[in-house]
Amino acid sequence: MAIMAGDAEDRWWSGDVYEPYVGRWSRLVAREFLTWLDAPAGLDWLDAGCGTGALAEAVAERCAPKRLAAVDPSAGFIDFARRRLGGAGAELLRADARDLPFAAGGFDRVVSGLVLNFVPDQPRAVAEMARVARPGGEVALYVWDYAGGMELMRRFWDAAVALDPNARALDEGARFPVCRPGPLRGLFEGAGLDGVDTRAIDVPTAFRDFDEYWTPFLSGQAPAPGYCMSLGEEARAALRERLRASLPVRPDGGIHLTARAWAVRGRRG
Ligand SMILES: C[S@@+](CC[C@H](N)C(=O)[O-])C[C@H]1O[C@@H](n2cnc3c(N)ncnc32)[C@H](O)[C@@H]1O
């Protein structure tokens, strides 16, 4: 399968703007996720949809991999990840999770962070991840709890929908029903994985002030910033002020939220 131009490539292009919006929080989730997986050193790892390298970098730092491969369809993200991870000997390739360019059974751990809901054919992506895992190896991933505990986005969409009924259809909580434990378990069991388990991972997302919270939404990259920048100036200012009024701003101006991810793991028989 060719990499989908106009698909991931169009929506995800700049690591520099991705990092302050989501990359830095994914890095925190990645640490907890790897603690949960508790894998021994010396394994072969694949990160499917590595983006700027949040999860792959955590694998390199914490898991002493023998081999570390990472793929993503976005040329901009792969370049960014290559700059950060090249020194660690990681193999970085442009590829789609629905068509992984690897032989069957080549990896001990096949992982992915915050990707599955963006893939149009999710059963196919999980089946591909299972295909390239070794017998006895593990497939594991995490996604945001868009409908609930991913507060920085939940609060954005709640404010957007209150002002603009058209935002309801774009709200990631509604658009990504797969991002819940039941559907994740169903996908993994449907791919023939054994011993499937799910859990929540909560990380703190603390902002110095409102501007640090708001500025990443002005990048236009990813669904919520894309919606934000599709608004006219007046509507965007109304959204900004509604958010400012609804967020729990502390006396020192700080805003302390939590981001919840749902993680799932399963073993290839
Ligand atoms: C929210 S970012 C997550 C990036 C990184 N894994 C992280 O945790 O920060 C979503 C990523 O999914 C990638 N993506 C979108 N569609 C994909 C597909 N069909 N196959 C693989 N990756 C895809 C995007 O290019 C982007 O890097």
Side-chain angles (χ1 to χ4, degrees), residues 8 12 18 26 49-51 54 72-74 77 96-98 113-115 118-119 142:
W12 309 98
Y18 175 77
S26 185
C50 63
D72 198 280
S74 161
F77 278 14
D96 193 297
R98 290 165 291 178
L114 309 177
V115 175
F118 294 110
V119 181
Y142 57 88

Side-chain angles (χ1 to χ4, degrees), residues 29-47:
V29 176
R31 287 185 209 159
E32 291 294 316
F33 175 70
L34 293 176
T35 300
W36 182 50
L37 296 190
D38 193 23
L43 299 185
D44 294 339
W45 290 75
L46 171 64
D47 179 5

